[in-house]
Amino acid sequence: MRRILAVLLENEAGSLSRVANLFSARGINIESLAVTPTPDETLSRMTIVTFGDDRILEQITKQLHKLVDVVTVVDMTGQNHVEREMALIKLRLRDEGSVDDLQRVNKVYRGRIADVSALCYTSEVVGTSEEIDAYLAAMAEHEVVEVVRSGPLGIARGEQVLSIRQNQ
Amino acid sequence: MDNLKQSSNPETQELTGAEIFTRCLVEEGATTVFGYPGGAVLHIYDELHKQEEVDHILVRHEQGAAHAAEGFAKSTGKVGVVLVTSGPGATNAVTGIADAYMDSVPLVVFTGQVRTALIGNDAFQEVDTVGITRPCVKHNILVKKVEDLPLAIKRAFHIAGTGRPGPVVVDIPKDVTEQSMVFSYPQDPDMRSYQPTIEGHAGQIKRAARLIAKAERPIIYSGGGVISSNAHEELTEFTRLTGFPITNTLMGLGAYPGTDPQFIQMLGMHGSYEANMAMHHSDVLIAVGARFDDRITGRLDGFCPYAKVIHIDVDPSSISKNFRAHVPVVGDARKVLRALTDELRDGKYTMPDISAWWGQIGEWAKKDSFAYEQDMDGEIKPQYVLDQLYKQTGGDAFVTSDVGQHQMWVAQLYKFTQPRRWINSGGLGTMGFGLPAAMGVQLAHPDAQVCCVTGEASIQMCIQELSTCRQYGLPIKIINLNNRYMGMVRQWQDFFYDSRYAMSYMDALPDFVKLAESYGHAGMKIEKPKDVEPALREILSLKDRLVFADFVTDPRENVFPMIAPGAAHNEMILS
């Protein structure tokens, strides 16, 4: 089962590698990982997507907590949350007439053209991971020459806030 | 110069990183350091040379330093301290660090590092120590400037010694030890991200008590966590109050008196028949400071099939990791056991009558599964040596061991009645642990009887420490059970590889008596069963020197009972 975890940790050298190391040492794959400092620059926030059953998730959550640098871990999988991923997609269109095709798909998926050259268009798409997958499927008849995806970011809906007090 | 220092104002006087290092150790009361010098730590060594508050013990190999610090820590409950240089100094210490991590031993390991400007340049004796040790430490810290050093050391000791203890590596580049600053030692480690849960949840304790009061076939299974948290008295009180049978893991021996009738011996792969059968048939399992390791559980889907599990542990990640706990209680074993005992005494509960269960356990115990026979005209049985060692020391010695058959026989036959007397490598299973660990124990307890039980294979893995023992006059008694085999490897080859002894024979052995003598110690070779008792008497009476006693034992003896890998507790091989 797909899982999405939000992690607050000390913004220190090596923190990221402790987290990455933990997953590999326990034999669990990281599907995606996004990390940046928070407005409080002493902290970083990570969104990790992984796969596993309840037992594996319980164990990995506990192991993350056990890392001395980790302040808070929240499993957002079961919680009501907003998830967004961004993708930059470089396309070689089938023919000139295909620009309409691109703009139609962009309209459906809230994409926009971020760059254009003689041979390539680069689209920027923000949405759920499924929407980005669907966008790519919709453009399948054109040549997708490069894709870069951020991995999902997650935040709880409503008033709930990920804070350093939220230690489970 | 000294006068000048004393006359200046201490609040504005600057100290170098190396001076700060020793001051911090004194602040932490960490006055015994095991180490080995090298380029990156020379400023620190120079400072150690100038002062008298911190004792430095020079080992002969950095692995020995880490194991010695483990012996010191395990036998005292204090944090052990190691100091090694960069590069090979650090990598040599890694085995000891990993050992401490697996057995939850509080260590602070200081490693020298190349100058900050050289880090990443593949400089002489540079390794990424923080990267190499990351998977086998509780935490590690690279100190990048002297201003960070006092807090790094404060945090290292705090992290190592609290919660579930473990090793912390502090990597200190050489230039940090020569930079200077006005020193003050922080009183608070100030860590928002590290707050171990100590008090057990009151609701969980009540649930545990209700389960205990309804038990028909209960068993207490306790491990090294009870020793780490100094909960042996609370465990004994709880066990006596309930009247339940208790078994200990390899790491937990001594937490409950091994001579007590409620003690049904060690459990697990080489545990007693009654302990493993009682585990298998139990309906309530009370696990305290134990982690359901594979050498304990055997095949998980056949483990404790009828039991409701109460699991008390300070490390939440140990709970329900291998085996689902029905009543998890996160907290310090000492606090939780006290709270649970108080709850059970509250008058709301009556202890169940488990006389039928005790009757069944008594039947199992009749197998006498640790029994052996010594033919006084035959070869020396290793168990006989350990039996005699137990009798002659009154069960009161500190016993360290290496890893293998001899380790299991000590665990089976030496009835420890106190915690912190049995010092061995359980989780990592590190051959070579025993002798350096014994050095740490002997230094912490100069007047105590310290025995290192080992074998001719294990002892050779850290044999160089005989030189350290000589330098510091450590009167350790080495009980070498010499069967000319890597016994446990040979045992597995007997059972699972049709007795094809691939590489398990120890050929070209040294003359251990002469070897010991060349290091300035006494050596003794014992070949006949009738000589065992008088030889041990003599060895143990030599209070002022190390004796290397080489017992030539039956090379075919195996450790029984045994739960083969992949088997369950009720599928023991008895002989």
Side-chain angles (χ1 to χ4, degrees):
Chain A
M1 176 181 172
R2 179 183 182 273
R3 311 284 183 160
I4 181 161
L5 302 173
V7 181
L8 275 186
L9 71 171
E10 298 290 348
N11 181 13
E12 278 170 16
S15 295
L16 168 64
S17 107
R18 279 181 220 282
V19 171
N21 210 99
L22 173 66
F23 277 79
S24 70
R26 302 268 162 193
I28 300 162
N29 285 332
I30 296 177
E31 177 76 7
S32 77
L33 186 157
V35 54
T36 46
T38 65
D40 170 358
E41 286 189 1
T42 65
L43 289 170
S44 288
R45 179 173 175 143
M46 276 184 185
T47 309
I48 304 172
V49 175
T50 183
F51 287 86
D53 59 22
D54 287 344
R55 199 184 66 84
I56 287 173
L57 196 86
E58 178 184 333
Q59 185 56 209
I60 203 74
T61 307
K62 286 173 170 178
Q63 293 288 349
L64 281 167
H65 259 294
K66 200 167 144 181
L67 291 177
V68 167
D69 286 338
V70 168
V71 184
T72 311
V73 182
V74 173
D75 175 14
M76 294 198 293
T77 314
Q79 296 183 9
N80 202 1
H81 68 279
V82 181
E83 230 180 278
R84 290 292 180 271
E85 181 172 0
M86 178 175 178
L88 296 172
I89 300 162
K90 192 169 283 189
L91 298 151
R92 201 169 282 146
L93 296 180
R94 204 178 41 195
D95 50 50
E96 260 320 290
S98 300
V99 177
D100 287 350
D101 203 17
L102 174 63
Q103 279 171 340
R104 186 172 49 80
V105 174
N106 274 353
K107 198 166 177 189
V108 173
Y109 292 102
R110 299 183 306 280
R112 65 181 207 93
I113 297 169
D115 183 55
V116 62
S117 71
L119 292 173
C120 289
Y121 285 85
T122 297
S123 292
E124 162 196 319
V125 190
V126 175
T128 63
S129 301
E130 292 77 15
E131 285 170 325
I132 293 171
D133 291 342
Y135 182 96
L136 286 165
M139 298 309 290
E141 59 188 88
H142 305 285
E143 190 186 351
V144 177
V145 290
E146 191 177 351
V147 180
V148 54
R149 298 173 68 151
S150 64
L153 305 176
I155 196 166
R157 287 191 187 274
E159 271 77 73
Q160 209 174 8
V161 169
L162 184 67
S163 73
I164 56 175
R165 306 237 169 274
Q166 212 164 349
N167 279 322
Q168 286 175 330
Chain B
M1 188 64 197
D2 277 341
N3 287 340
L4 254 178
K5 274 190 182 168
Q6 278 165 12
S7 62
S8 58
N9 183 347
E11 282 173 21
T12 56
Q13 183 203 325
E14 292 208 336
L15 301 181
T16 66
E19 289 171 302
I20 288 168
F21 175 86
T22 54
R23 290 279 294 269
C24 290
L25 291 190
V26 172
E27 291 278 352
E28 288 294 336
T31 50
T32 304
V33 176
F34 300 88
Y36 203 102
V41 285
L42 281 179
H43 292 312
I44 292 175
Y45 271 87
D46 192 46
E47 210 48 55
L48 286 171
H49 188 76
K50 289 180 195 161
Q51 55 80 54
E52 288 181 344
E53 286 173 284
V54 178
D55 287 327
H56 180 276
I57 308 300
L58 177 69
V59 295
R60 297 300 183 268
H61 183 287
E62 289 87 350
Q63 182 186 351
H67 292 325
E70 285 187 274
F72 183 92
K74 284 187 180 200
S75 67
T76 60
K78 294 181 192 164
V79 176
V81 184
V82 177
L83 171 61
V84 297
T85 193
S86 64
T91 56
N92 278 346
V94 166
T95 300
I97 294 168
D99 191 272
Y101 184 60
M102 288 291 268
D103 286 347
S104 307
V105 185
L107 288 194
V108 174
V109 180
F110 295 100
T111 53
Q113 183 54 275
V114 301
R115 292 175 180 279
T116 48
L118 290 175
I119 289 178
N121 285 11
D122 301 325
F124 177 66
Q125 293 194 329
E126 178 185 2
V127 290
D128 175 10
T129 302
V130 165
I132 284 176
T133 58
R134 187 172 291 130
C136 61
V137 292
K138 187 170 174 187
H139 194 56
N140 58 19
I141 307 165
L142 170 64
V143 182
K144 287 183 177 154
K145 53 185 194 295
V146 71
E147 288 76 16
D148 296 341
L149 186 60
L151 186 59
I153 295 177
K154 178 79 192 174
R155 285 179 172 173
F157 277 90
H158 177 66
I159 294 166
T162 55
R164 179 178 177 177
V168 178
V169 167
V170 183
D171 199 26
I172 309 176
K174 188 168 187 179
D175 52 324
V176 170
T177 63
E178 61 198 18
Q179 294 163 3
S180 55
M181 65 176 274
V182 176
F183 173 68
S184 69
Y185 198 60
Q187 291 308 301
D188 183 1
D190 184 27
M191 298 189 73
R192 59 186 168 186
S193 62
Y194 176 74
Q195 276 141 9
T197 305
I198 301 301
E199 302 286 343
H201 188 279
Q204 291 298 85
I205 288 166
K206 283 197 168 65
R207 284 180 63 201
R210 283 198 294 272
L211 202 52
I212 287 166
K214 284 191 302 190
E216 291 174 10
R217 301 182 310 279
I219 183 167
I220 300 163
Y221 144 56
S222 85
V226 172
I227 292 171
S228 296
S229 67
N230 297 312
H232 51 282
E233 282 172 11
E234 286 75 6
L235 176 73
T236 304
E237 199 180 334
F238 170 75
T239 306
R240 299 232 163 104
L241 173 70
T242 56
F244 290 175
I246 178 167
T247 178
N248 287 166
T249 69
L250 178 69
M251 302 313 291
L253 294 171
Y256 190 82
T259 49
D260 187 276
Q262 276 174 259
F263 185 64
I264 61 169
Q265 315 301 325
M266 180 175 77
L267 80 163
M269 184 172 268
H270 296 294
S272 74
Y273 184 71
E274 59 270 32
N276 288 336
M277 290 300 275
M279 288 289 287
H280 186 80
H281 291 90
S282 66
D283 69 339
V284 173
L285 173 60
I286 304 147
V288 192
R291 60 187 178 87
F292 295 80
D293 160 84
D294 57 275
R295 286 297 192 263
I296 292 297
T297 63
R299 192 177 76 242
L300 271 170
D301 61 15
F303 175 72
C304 292
Y306 318 108
K308 289 258 187 284
V309 176
I310 299 164
H311 191 175
I312 300 163
D313 206 294
V314 75
D315 175 6
S317 74
S318 281
I319 296 178
S320 297
K321 179 175 69 181
N322 298 334
F323 197 71
R324 174 61 58 188
H326 300 84
V327 184
V329 190
V330 178
D332 176 71
R334 188 175 187 178
K335 300 251 183 195
V336 174
L337 283 172
R338 189 175 290 157
L340 188 54
T341 304
D342 289 347
E343 174 70 17
L344 288 169
R345 283 219 175 100
D346 200 26
K348 286 180 293 205
Y349 309 91
T350 35
M351 281 305 123
D353 174 11
I354 57 162
S355 48
W357 178 231
W358 270 116
Q360 173 65 70
I361 291 169
E363 286 302 312
W364 287 323
K366 283 182 187 161
K367 291 265 187 203
D368 197 9
S369 54
F370 298 159
Y372 67 94
E373 277 176 33
Q374 177 65 65
D375 171 1
M376 293 311 278
D377 297 318
E379 293 184 276
I380 298 173
K381 292 286 183 187
Q383 299 98 317
Y384 178 66
V385 178
L386 299 175
D387 223 356
Q388 286 299 320
L389 180 71
Y390 168 63
K391 289 190 176 114
Q392 292 197 24
T393 55
D396 204 30
F398 287 87
V399 182
T400 74
S401 91
D402 274 301
V403 172
Q405 290 184 319
H406 66 269
Q407 177 188 26
M408 293 299 112
W409 282 317
V410 181
Q412 290 180 343
L413 298 168
Y414 201 100
K415 311 284 177 226
F416 293 92
T417 53
Q418 296 174 69
R420 301 193 182 281
R421 295 281 163 125
W422 167 230
I423 314 290
N424 82 127
S425 166
L428 195 67
T430 310
M431 291 169 70
F433 173 86
L435 177 58
M439 302 189 316
V441 175
Q442 189 79 76
L443 280 155
H445 309 272
D447 300 323
Q449 186 77 265
V450 180
C451 301
C452 166
V453 177
T454 183
E456 82 290 342
S458 282
I459 191 70
Q460 292 190 80
M461 286 212 183
C462 273
I463 193 95
Q464 75 286 344
E465 298 305 332
L466 284 173
S467 177
T468 309
C469 294
R470 175 67 180 159
Q471 182 172 347
Y472 298 96
L474 304 177
I476 295 161
K477 305 298 176 275
I478 297 175
I479 311 297
N480 189 41
L481 301 177
N482 185 344
N483 65 353
R484 284 84 68 209
Y485 278 105
M486 294 161 210
M488 192 57 90
V489 173
R490 188 201 33 71
Q491 175 164 346
W492 281 53
Q493 288 169 336
D494 271 338
F495 289 6
F496 312 121
Y497 299 91
D498 295 328
S499 298
R500 289 186 298 279
Y501 299 151
M503 293 292 141
S504 57
Y505 183 72
M506 291 303 283
D507 212 342
L509 285 173
D511 179 333
F512 287 110
V513 173
K514 282 188 189 157
L515 182 74
E517 285 170 358
S518 79
Y519 278 109
H521 302 302
M524 196 182 281
K525 187 170 187 173
I526 304 97
E527 295 174 277
K528 295 198 174 71
K530 68 174 174 48
D531 295 334
V532 170
E533 195 182 338
L536 275 172
R537 205 172 300 286
E538 188 187 344
I539 293 159
L540 294 169
S541 71
L542 293 169
K543 299 288 182 200
D544 60 341
R545 61 191 311 189
L546 184 147
V547 185
F548 193 116
D550 189 23
F551 290 89
V552 179
T553 62
D554 182 352
R556 286 167 300 276
E557 192 63 25
N558 282 334
V559 183
F560 293 108
M562 179 172 183
I563 300 172
H569 277 178
N570 59 339
E571 300 164 350
M572 271 166 283
I573 307 166
L574 286 173
S575 63

